[in-house]
Amino acid sequence: MKVVILAGGFGTRIAEESYLKPKPMIEIGEKPILWHIMKLYSYYGFNEFIICCGYKQHIIKEWFADYYLHNSDITFDFTSRNRMTIHNNVAEPWKVTLIDTGLHTMTGGRVKRIREYVGNKTFLLTYGDGVSDVNIEKTVQFHRNHGKIITMTTVQPDGRFGVVDIDENNVVKRFAEKSKSDVGWINGGFMVVNPEVFDYIQGDSTIFEKEPLMNLSVEGQLMAYKHDGFWLCMDTQRDKEKLEELWQGGSAPWKIW
């Protein structure tokens, strides 16, 4: 089963770093967050990836082109026709296809553009900025059991702001930290998708989270896999710093490999 990762957006809410590189290439522990996501899928045996590129796509392509070189011990022998000798093999067991899905293409359009690369088969789909300790194997099994078109991993993020109850006289009756139950369930990515989904996407301007998912939900074809473990989307610099702190402290919940 192939893994499709959306990695083409501008990442405007983390512009402190995304003006230099695509958001999926922003590093946590000296590795792009894209690498962390791929390591999670690889842990469960999913090693074939299709990366939907767009904004500054050359940076993603160059990183993969140099990955083997940068992670191996090498001898360059300039006396023997510039021969290069690799002394160790630390490359991942990955097959990675990098597709230019357009600079301004919306998420649905990016999915539509990789149709020929996944064919008429069920595939995995997620965003290039969110990490989790979700059990991918269990999401796939859940998907196979219900037989609908899409399984979406749903999560309850921590609330960032306090909850205020105000009466008719503008008196604050209750102030409390926002709990997960106040936030509710949201789309956490890590989806399992049947090829019928392509029929719900019109073209480049289609936002995957709008018409396609909304119409599928109306038809009863969208199922939720509830994940109550760790999940965090690197949406802002604050999120990036939190992920970095967890990684450097040796307590990153998504590092299960």
Coordinates of all heavy atoms in Angstrom, one line a residue, residues 73-156:
D73 N 29.3 6.8 5.2 CA 30.8 7.1 5.2 C 31.3 6.8 3.8 O 31.0 5.7 3.2 CB 31.5 6.2 6.2 CG 31.1 6.5 7.7 OD1 30.8 7.7 7.9 OD2 31.1 5.6 8.5
I74 N 32.0 7.7 3.3 CA 32.4 7.7 1.8 C 33.9 8.0 1.6 O 34.4 8.9 2.3 CB 31.5 8.7 1.0 CG1 30.0 8.4 1.2 CG2 31.9 8.7 -0.4 CD1 29.1 9.5 0.6
T75 N 34.4 7.3 0.7 CA 35.8 7.7 0.2 C 35.7 8.2 -1.2 O 35.1 7.5 -2.1 CB 36.7 6.4 0.2 OG1 37.0 6.1 1.6 CG2 38.1 6.8 -0.4
F76 N 36.2 9.3 -1.5 CA 36.3 9.9 -2.8 C 37.8 9.7 -3.3 O 38.7 10.2 -2.8 CB 36.0 11.4 -2.9 CG 34.5 11.7 -2.6 CD1 34.2 12.1 -1.3 CD2 33.6 11.5 -3.5 CE1 32.9 12.4 -1.0 CE2 32.2 11.8 -3.3 CZ 31.9 12.2 -2.0
D77 N 37.9 8.9 -4.4 CA 39.3 8.6 -4.9 C 39.4 9.3 -6.2 O 39.0 8.9 -7.3 CB 39.4 7.0 -5.1 CG 40.8 6.7 -5.5 OD1 41.6 7.6 -5.8 OD2 41.1 5.4 -5.6
F78 N 40.1 10.5 -6.1 CA 40.3 11.3 -7.3 C 41.4 10.8 -8.2 O 41.5 11.3 -9.3 CB 40.6 12.8 -6.8 CG 39.5 13.4 -6.0 CD1 39.6 13.7 -4.7 CD2 38.3 13.7 -6.6 CE1 38.6 14.2 -4.0 CE2 37.2 14.3 -5.9 CZ 37.4 14.5 -4.6
T79 N 42.2 9.8 -7.7 CA 43.2 9.3 -8.5 C 42.7 8.1 -9.4 O 43.5 7.6 -10.2 CB 44.4 8.7 -7.6 OG1 43.9 7.6 -6.9 CG2 44.9 9.8 -6.7
S80 N 41.5 7.7 -9.2 CA 41.0 6.6 -9.9 C 39.6 7.0 -10.6 O 38.6 6.5 -10.3 CB 40.8 5.4 -9.0 OG 40.3 4.3 -9.8
R81 N 39.7 8.0 -11.5 CA 38.5 8.4 -12.2 C 37.4 8.9 -11.3 O 36.2 8.6 -11.5 CB 38.0 7.4 -13.2 CG 39.1 7.0 -14.2 CD 38.5 5.9 -15.2 NE 39.5 5.6 -16.2 CZ 39.3 4.7 -17.2 NH1 38.1 4.0 -17.2 NH2 40.3 4.4 -18.0
N82 N 37.8 9.6 -10.2 CA 36.8 10.1 -9.3 C 35.8 9.1 -8.8 O 34.6 9.3 -8.7 CB 36.0 11.3 -10.0 CG 36.9 12.5 -10.3 OD1 37.9 12.7 -9.6 ND2 36.5 13.3 -11.2
R83 N 36.4 7.9 -8.4 CA 35.5 6.9 -7.9 C 35.1 7.2 -6.5 O 35.8 7.6 -5.7 CB 36.3 5.5 -7.9 CG 35.4 4.3 -7.6 CD 36.1 3.0 -7.8 NE 37.2 2.9 -6.8 CZ 38.0 1.8 -6.8 NH1 37.9 0.8 -7.7 NH2 39.0 1.7 -5.9
M84 N 33.8 6.8 -6.2 CA 33.3 7.0 -4.9 C 32.9 5.7 -4.3 O 32.3 4.8 -4.9 CB 32.0 7.9 -4.9 CG 31.4 8.2 -3.6 SD 29.9 9.2 -3.7 CE 28.7 8.1 -4.4
T85 N 33.4 5.4 -3.1 CA 33.2 4.2 -2.4 C 32.3 4.4 -1.1 O 32.7 5.2 -0.3 CB 34.5 3.5 -2.0 OG1 35.3 3.3 -3.1 CG2 34.2 2.1 -1.3
I86 N 31.2 3.7 -1.0 CA 30.3 3.7 0.1 C 30.8 2.7 1.1 O 30.8 1.5 0.8 CB 28.9 3.5 -0.2 CG1 28.4 4.5 -1.3 CG2 28.0 3.7 1.0 CD1 28.4 5.9 -0.9
H87 N 31.1 3.1 2.4 CA 31.6 2.1 3.4 C 30.5 1.5 4.2 O 30.7 0.5 4.9 CB 32.6 2.8 4.3 CG 33.8 3.3 3.5 ND1 34.7 2.4 3.0 CD2 34.3 4.5 3.2 CE1 35.7 3.1 2.3 NE2 35.4 4.4 2.5
N88 N 29.4 2.2 4.3 CA 28.3 1.6 5.1 C 27.0 2.0 4.4 O 26.9 3.0 3.7 CB 28.3 2.1 6.5 CG 28.2 3.6 6.6 OD1 28.4 4.3 5.7 ND2 27.8 4.1 7.8
N89 N 25.9 1.2 4.7 CA 24.6 1.5 4.0 C 23.6 1.8 5.1 O 23.2 0.9 5.8 CB 24.2 0.2 3.2 CG 22.9 0.5 2.5 OD1 22.3 1.5 2.6 ND2 22.5 -0.5 1.7
V90 N 23.3 3.1 5.2 CA 22.4 3.5 6.3 C 21.1 4.1 5.7 O 20.3 4.7 6.3 CB 23.0 4.5 7.2 CG1 24.2 3.9 8.0 CG2 23.5 5.8 6.4
A91 N 20.9 3.8 4.4 CA 19.8 4.3 3.7 C 18.5 3.6 4.2 O 18.6 2.4 4.6 CB 19.9 4.2 2.2
E92 N 17.4 4.3 4.1 CA 16.1 3.7 4.5 C 15.6 2.7 3.4 O 16.0 2.9 2.2 CB 15.1 4.8 4.7 CG 15.5 5.8 5.7 CD 15.5 5.4 7.1 OE1 15.0 4.3 7.4 OE2 16.1 6.1 7.9
P93 N 14.8 1.8 3.7 CA 14.2 0.9 2.7 C 13.1 1.5 1.9 O 12.0 0.9 1.8 CB 13.8 -0.3 3.5 CG 13.3 0.2 4.8 CD 14.3 1.4 5.0
W94 N 13.3 2.7 1.4 CA 12.2 3.5 0.8 C 12.3 3.6 -0.7 O 13.3 3.6 -1.2 CB 12.2 4.9 1.4 CG 12.0 5.0 2.9 CD1 11.4 4.1 3.7 CD2 12.2 6.2 3.7 NE1 11.4 4.5 5.0 CE2 11.9 5.8 5.0 CE3 12.8 7.4 3.5 CZ2 12.0 6.7 6.1 CZ3 12.9 8.3 4.5 CH2 12.5 8.0 5.8
K95 N 11.1 3.7 -1.3 CA 11.0 4.1 -2.7 C 10.1 5.3 -2.7 O 9.0 5.3 -2.2 CB 10.3 3.0 -3.5 CG 10.1 3.4 -5.0 CD 9.4 2.3 -5.8 CE 9.2 2.7 -7.2 NZ 8.5 1.6 -8.0
V96 N 10.8 6.4 -3.1 CA 10.1 7.7 -3.0 C 9.9 8.4 -4.4 O 10.9 8.5 -5.1 CB 11.0 8.7 -2.1 CG1 10.3 10.0 -1.9 CG2 11.3 8.0 -0.8
T97 N 8.7 8.7 -4.7 CA 8.3 9.4 -5.9 C 7.9 10.8 -5.6 O 7.0 11.0 -4.8 CB 7.2 8.7 -6.7 OG1 7.6 7.3 -6.9 CG2 6.9 9.4 -8.0
L98 N 8.6 11.8 -6.2 CA 8.4 13.2 -5.9 C 7.7 13.8 -7.1 O 8.2 13.8 -8.2 CB 9.7 13.9 -5.6 CG 10.5 13.3 -4.4 CD1 11.9 13.8 -4.5 CD2 9.9 13.7 -3.1
I99 N 6.4 14.3 -6.9 CA 5.6 14.8 -8.0 C 5.3 16.3 -7.8 O 4.9 16.7 -6.7 CB 4.3 14.0 -8.0 CG1 4.5 12.5 -8.1 CG2 3.4 14.5 -9.2 CD1 5.2 12.0 -9.3
D100 N 5.6 17.0 -8.9 CA 5.2 18.4 -8.9 C 3.7 18.5 -9.1 O 3.2 18.3 -10.2 CB 6.0 19.1 -10.0 CG 5.6 20.6 -10.1 OD1 4.9 21.1 -9.2 OD2 6.0 21.3 -11.1
T101 N 3.0 18.9 -8.1 CA 1.5 19.0 -8.2 C 1.1 20.4 -8.3 O -0.1 20.7 -8.1 CB 0.9 18.3 -6.9 OG1 1.4 18.9 -5.7 CG2 1.1 16.8 -6.9
G102 N 2.0 21.3 -8.6 CA 1.6 22.7 -8.8 C 1.9 23.6 -7.7 O 1.7 23.2 -6.5
L103 N 2.2 24.8 -8.0 CA 2.5 25.8 -6.9 C 1.2 26.2 -6.1 O 1.2 26.3 -4.9 CB 3.2 27.0 -7.5 CG 3.6 28.1 -6.5 CD1 4.6 27.5 -5.5 CD2 4.2 29.3 -7.3
H104 N 0.1 26.5 -6.9 CA -1.1 27.0 -6.2 C -2.2 26.0 -6.2 O -3.4 26.3 -5.8 CB -1.6 28.2 -7.0 CG -0.6 29.4 -7.0 ND1 -0.3 30.1 -5.9 CD2 0.3 29.8 -8.0 CE1 0.6 31.0 -6.2 NE2 1.0 30.9 -7.4
T105 N -1.9 24.7 -6.4 CA -3.0 23.7 -6.4 C -3.4 23.4 -5.0 O -2.6 23.4 -4.0 CB -2.4 22.4 -6.9 OG1 -1.8 22.6 -8.2 CG2 -3.5 21.3 -7.1
M106 N -4.7 23.3 -4.8 CA -5.3 23.0 -3.5 C -5.1 21.5 -3.1 O -4.7 20.7 -3.9 CB -6.8 23.3 -3.5 CG -7.1 24.8 -3.7 SD -6.6 25.9 -2.4 CE -5.1 26.6 -3.0
T107 N -5.4 21.2 -1.9 CA -5.1 19.8 -1.4 C -5.8 18.7 -2.2 O -5.2 17.7 -2.5 CB -5.5 19.7 0.1 OG1 -6.8 20.2 0.3 CG2 -4.6 20.4 1.0
G108 N -7.1 18.9 -2.6 CA -7.8 18.0 -3.4 C -7.2 17.8 -4.7 O -7.0 16.7 -5.3
G109 N -6.8 18.9 -5.3 CA -6.1 18.9 -6.6 C -4.8 18.1 -6.6 O -4.5 17.4 -7.5
R110 N -4.1 18.3 -5.5 CA -2.8 17.5 -5.4 C -3.1 16.0 -5.4 O -2.4 15.2 -6.0 CB -2.1 18.0 -4.1 CG -1.6 19.5 -4.2 CD -0.7 19.8 -3.1 NE -0.5 21.2 -3.0 CZ 0.3 22.0 -3.8 NH1 1.0 21.4 -4.7 NH2 0.4 23.3 -3.6
V111 N -4.1 15.6 -4.6 CA -4.5 14.2 -4.6 C -4.9 13.7 -6.0 O -4.5 12.6 -6.4 CB -5.6 14.0 -3.6 CG1 -6.1 12.5 -3.6 CG2 -5.1 14.3 -2.2
K112 N -5.7 14.5 -6.7 CA -6.1 14.2 -8.0 C -4.9 14.0 -9.0 O -4.9 13.0 -9.8 CB -7.0 15.3 -8.6 CG -7.7 14.9 -9.9 CD -9.0 14.2 -9.7 CE -9.8 14.2 -11.0 NZ -11.1 13.5 -10.8
R113 N -3.9 14.8 -8.8 CA -2.8 14.7 -9.7 C -1.9 13.5 -9.6 O -1.1 13.2 -10.5 CB -1.9 16.0 -9.6 CG -2.5 17.3 -10.1 CD -1.4 18.2 -10.4 NE -1.9 19.5 -10.9 CZ -1.1 20.5 -11.4 NH1 0.2 20.2 -11.6 NH2 -1.6 21.6 -11.8
I114 N -2.0 12.8 -8.5 CA -1.2 11.6 -8.3 C -1.9 10.3 -8.6 O -1.5 9.2 -8.2 CB -0.5 11.6 -6.9 CG1 -1.5 11.7 -5.8 CG2 0.5 12.7 -6.8 CD1 -2.2 10.4 -5.3
R115 N -3.1 10.4 -9.2 CA -3.9 9.3 -9.4 C -3.2 8.2 -10.2 O -3.3 7.0 -9.9 CB -5.2 9.7 -10.2 CG -6.2 8.6 -10.5 CD -7.5 9.1 -11.1 NE -8.5 8.1 -11.1 CZ -9.7 8.3 -11.5 NH1 -10.1 9.5 -11.8 NH2 -10.6 7.3 -11.5
E116 N -2.5 8.5 -11.2 CA -1.8 7.5 -12.0 C -0.7 6.8 -11.3 O -0.3 5.7 -11.6 CB -1.2 8.2 -13.3 CG -0.1 9.1 -13.0 CD 0.5 9.7 -14.3 OE1 1.3 9.0 -15.0 OE2 0.2 10.9 -14.6
Y117 N -0.2 7.4 -10.2 CA 0.8 6.8 -9.4 C 0.3 5.8 -8.4 O 1.1 4.9 -7.9 CB 1.7 7.8 -8.7 CG 2.4 8.7 -9.8 CD1 1.8 9.9 -10.1 CD2 3.6 8.3 -10.4 CE1 2.4 10.8 -11.1 CE2 4.2 9.1 -11.3 CZ 3.6 10.4 -11.7 OH 4.2 11.2 -12.6
V118 N -0.9 5.9 -8.0 CA -1.5 5.0 -7.0 C -2.4 3.9 -7.7 O -2.6 2.8 -7.2 CB -2.3 5.7 -5.9 CG1 -1.4 6.6 -5.1 CG2 -3.5 6.5 -6.5
G119 N -2.8 4.3 -8.9 CA -3.7 3.3 -9.7 C -5.0 3.1 -9.0 O -5.5 3.9 -8.3
N120 N -5.5 1.9 -9.2 CA -6.9 1.6 -8.7 C -6.7 0.8 -7.4 O -7.3 -0.3 -7.3 CB -7.6 0.8 -9.8 CG -9.1 0.6 -9.4 OD1 -9.7 1.5 -8.9 ND2 -9.7 -0.5 -9.7
K121 N -5.9 1.3 -6.5 CA -5.7 0.6 -5.3 C -5.9 1.6 -4.1 O -5.8 2.8 -4.2 CB -4.3 0.1 -5.2 CG -4.0 -1.0 -6.3 CD -2.5 -1.5 -6.2 CE -2.3 -2.6 -7.2 NZ -0.9 -3.1 -7.2
T122 N -6.2 1.0 -2.9 CA -6.3 1.7 -1.7 C -5.0 2.3 -1.3 O -3.9 1.6 -1.5 CB -6.9 0.8 -0.6 OG1 -8.2 0.4 -0.9 CG2 -7.0 1.6 0.7
F123 N -4.9 3.5 -0.8 CA -3.7 4.1 -0.4 C -3.8 4.9 0.9 O -4.9 5.1 1.4 CB -3.2 5.1 -1.5 CG -4.1 6.2 -1.9 CD1 -3.9 7.5 -1.3 CD2 -5.2 6.1 -2.7 CE1 -4.7 8.6 -1.6 CE2 -6.0 7.1 -3.1 CZ -5.8 8.4 -2.5
L124 N -2.7 5.2 1.5 CA -2.6 6.0 2.7 C -2.4 7.4 2.4 O -1.6 7.7 1.4 CB -1.5 5.4 3.6 CG -1.6 3.9 4.0 CD1 -0.4 3.4 4.7 CD2 -2.9 3.7 4.8
L125 N -3.0 8.3 3.1 CA -2.8 9.7 2.8 C -2.7 10.5 4.1 O -3.5 10.3 5.1 CB -4.1 10.2 2.1 CG -4.2 11.7 1.8 CD1 -3.1 12.2 0.9 CD2 -5.6 12.0 1.3
T126 N -1.7 11.4 4.2 CA -1.6 12.3 5.3 C -1.0 13.6 4.9 O -0.6 13.8 3.8 CB -0.8 11.6 6.5 OG1 -1.0 12.3 7.7 CG2 0.7 11.6 6.1
Y127 N -0.9 14.5 5.9 CA -0.3 15.8 5.7 C 1.2 15.8 6.1 O 1.6 15.1 7.0 CB -1.0 16.9 6.5 CG -2.5 16.9 6.2 CD1 -3.4 16.3 7.1 CD2 -3.0 17.6 5.1 CE1 -4.8 16.3 6.8 CE2 -4.4 17.6 4.8 CZ -5.3 16.9 5.7 OH -6.6 16.9 5.4
G128 N 2.0 16.7 5.5 CA 3.4 16.7 5.7 C 3.8 17.6 6.9 O 5.0 18.0 6.9
D129 N 2.9 17.8 7.8 CA 3.3 18.6 9.0 C 2.8 18.1 10.3 O 2.9 18.8 11.3 CB 2.8 20.1 8.8 CG 1.3 20.2 8.6 OD1 0.6 19.1 8.7 OD2 0.8 21.3 8.4
G130 N 2.3 16.9 10.4 CA 1.7 16.4 11.6 C 2.4 15.0 12.0 O 2.5 14.2 11.2
V131 N 2.7 14.9 13.3 CA 3.3 13.7 13.8 C 2.4 13.1 14.9 O 1.6 13.8 15.5 CB 4.7 13.8 14.3 CG1 5.7 14.1 13.2 CG2 4.8 15.0 15.4
S132 N 2.4 11.8 15.0 CA 1.5 11.1 16.0 C 2.1 9.7 16.3 O 3.0 9.2 15.6 CB 0.1 11.0 15.4 OG -0.7 10.2 16.2
D133 N 1.6 9.1 17.4 CA 1.9 7.8 17.7 C 0.7 6.8 17.3 O 0.6 5.7 17.8 CB 2.3 7.6 19.2 CG 1.1 8.0 20.1 OD1 0.1 8.5 19.6 OD2 1.3 7.9 21.3
V134 N -0.1 7.3 16.4 CA -1.2 6.5 15.9 C -0.7 5.1 15.3 O 0.3 5.1 14.7 CB -2.0 7.2 14.8 CG1 -1.2 7.6 13.6 CG2 -3.3 6.5 14.5
N135 N -1.5 4.1 15.6 CA -1.1 2.8 15.1 C -1.7 2.6 13.6 O -2.9 2.4 13.4 CB -1.7 1.7 16.0 CG -1.2 0.3 15.6 OD1 -1.2 -0.1 14.5 ND2 -0.8 -0.5 16.6
I136 N -0.8 2.8 12.7 CA -1.2 2.7 11.2 C -1.8 1.4 10.9 O -2.8 1.3 10.1 CB 0.0 3.0 10.3 CG1 0.7 4.4 10.7 CG2 -0.4 3.0 8.9 CD1 -0.2 5.6 10.5
E137 N -1.2 0.3 11.4 CA -1.7 -1.0 11.1 C -3.2 -1.2 11.6 O -4.0 -1.7 10.8 CB -0.9 -2.1 11.8 CG -1.2 -3.5 11.5 CD -0.3 -4.5 12.2 OE1 0.7 -4.1 12.8 OE2 -0.7 -5.7 12.2
K138 N -3.5 -0.6 12.7 CA -4.9 -0.7 13.2 C -5.8 0.2 12.4 O -7.0 -0.2 12.2 CB -5.0 -0.3 14.7 CG -4.4 -1.3 15.6 CD -4.6 -1.0 17.1 CE -4.0 -2.1 18.0 NZ -4.2 -1.7 19.4
T139 N -5.4 1.3 11.9 CA -6.2 2.2 11.0 C -6.6 1.4 9.7 O -7.7 1.5 9.2 CB -5.6 3.5 10.7 OG1 -4.4 3.3 9.9 CG2 -5.2 4.3 11.9
V140 N -5.6 0.7 9.2 CA -5.8 0.0 7.9 C -6.8 -1.2 8.2 O -7.7 -1.4 7.4 CB -4.5 -0.6 7.4 CG1 -4.7 -1.5 6.2 CG2 -3.6 0.6 7.0
Q141 N -6.6 -1.9 9.3 CA -7.5 -3.0 9.6 C -9.0 -2.5 9.8 O -9.9 -3.1 9.4 CB -7.1 -3.7 10.9 CG -7.8 -5.0 11.1 CD -7.8 -6.0 9.9 OE1 -6.7 -6.3 9.4 NE2 -8.9 -6.4 9.5
F142 N -9.1 -1.3 10.5 CA -10.4 -0.7 10.8 C -11.0 -0.3 9.4 O -12.2 -0.6 9.2 CB -10.2 0.6 11.6 CG -11.4 1.4 11.8 CD1 -12.3 1.0 12.8 CD2 -11.7 2.6 11.1 CE1 -13.5 1.8 13.0 CE2 -12.8 3.3 11.3 CZ -13.7 2.9 12.3
H143 N -10.2 0.2 8.5 CA -10.7 0.5 7.2 C -11.2 -0.7 6.4 O -12.3 -0.6 5.8 CB -9.6 1.2 6.4 CG -10.0 1.7 5.0 ND1 -10.8 2.9 4.8 CD2 -9.8 1.2 3.8 CE1 -11.0 3.0 3.5 NE2 -10.4 2.0 2.9
R144 N -10.5 -1.7 6.5 CA -10.9 -2.9 5.7 C -12.2 -3.5 6.3 O -13.0 -4.1 5.6 CB -9.7 -4.0 5.8 CG -8.5 -3.6 4.9 CD -7.4 -4.5 5.2 NE -6.3 -4.2 4.2 CZ -5.0 -4.7 4.4 NH1 -4.7 -5.4 5.5 NH2 -4.1 -4.4 3.5
N145 N -12.4 -3.4 7.6 CA -13.5 -4.0 8.2 C -14.8 -3.2 7.9 O -15.9 -3.9 7.8 CB -13.3 -4.0 9.7 CG -12.3 -5.0 10.2 OD1 -12.0 -5.9 9.4 ND2 -11.8 -4.9 11.4
H146 N -14.8 -1.9 7.7 CA -16.0 -1.2 7.5 C -16.4 -1.0 6.0 O -17.6 -0.8 5.7 CB -16.0 0.2 8.2 CG -15.0 1.2 7.7 ND1 -15.0 1.6 6.4 CD2 -14.0 1.8 8.4 CE1 -14.0 2.5 6.3 NE2 -13.4 2.6 7.5
G147 N -15.4 -1.1 5.1 CA -15.7 -1.1 3.7 C -16.1 0.3 3.1 O -16.6 0.3 1.9
K148 N -16.0 1.4 3.8 CA -16.3 2.7 3.3 C -15.1 3.2 2.5 O -14.1 2.6 2.4 CB -16.7 3.6 4.4 CG -17.8 3.1 5.3 CD -19.1 3.0 4.6 CE -20.2 2.5 5.5 NZ -21.5 2.4 4.8
I149 N -15.3 4.4 1.9 CA -14.3 5.0 1.0 C -13.1 5.5 1.7 O -12.0 5.4 1.3 CB -14.9 6.0 0.0 CG1 -15.9 5.4 -0.9 CG2 -13.8 6.8 -0.8 CD1 -16.6 6.3 -1.8
I150 N -13.3 6.2 2.8 CA -12.2 6.9 3.6 C -12.3 6.6 5.1 O -13.4 6.7 5.7 CB -12.2 8.4 3.4 CG1 -11.8 8.8 1.9 CG2 -11.2 9.1 4.3 CD1 -11.7 10.2 1.7
T151 N -11.2 6.3 5.6 CA -11.0 6.3 7.1 C -10.2 7.5 7.4 O -9.1 7.7 6.9 CB -10.4 5.1 7.6 OG1 -11.3 4.0 7.5 CG2 -10.0 5.2 9.1
M152 N -10.6 8.4 8.3 CA -9.9 9.5 8.8 C -9.5 9.3 10.2 O -10.4 9.0 11.1 CB -10.7 10.8 8.6 CG -10.1 12.1 9.2 SD -11.4 13.4 9.4 CE -11.8 13.7 7.7
T153 N -8.2 9.5 10.6 CA -7.8 9.5 12.0 C -8.3 10.8 12.6 O -8.0 11.9 12.1 CB -6.3 9.3 12.1 OG1 -5.9 8.0 11.6 CG2 -5.9 9.4 13.6
T154 N -9.1 10.7 13.6 CA -9.6 11.9 14.3 C -8.9 12.0 15.7 O -8.6 11.0 16.4 CB -11.1 11.9 14.5 OG1 -11.5 10.7 15.2 CG2 -11.8 12.0 13.2
V155 N -8.6 13.2 16.1 CA -7.9 13.5 17.4 C -8.5 14.6 18.1 O -9.3 15.4 17.6 CB -6.4 13.8 17.1 CG1 -5.7 12.6 16.4 CG2 -6.3 15.0 16.2
Q156 N -8.2 14.7 19.4 CA -8.7 15.8 20.3 C -7.4 16.6 20.7 O -6.8 16.2 21.7 CB -9.4 15.2 21.5 CG -10.8 14.7 21.1 CD -11.6 14.3 22.3 OE1 -11.2 13.4 23.0 NE2 -12.7 14.9 22.6

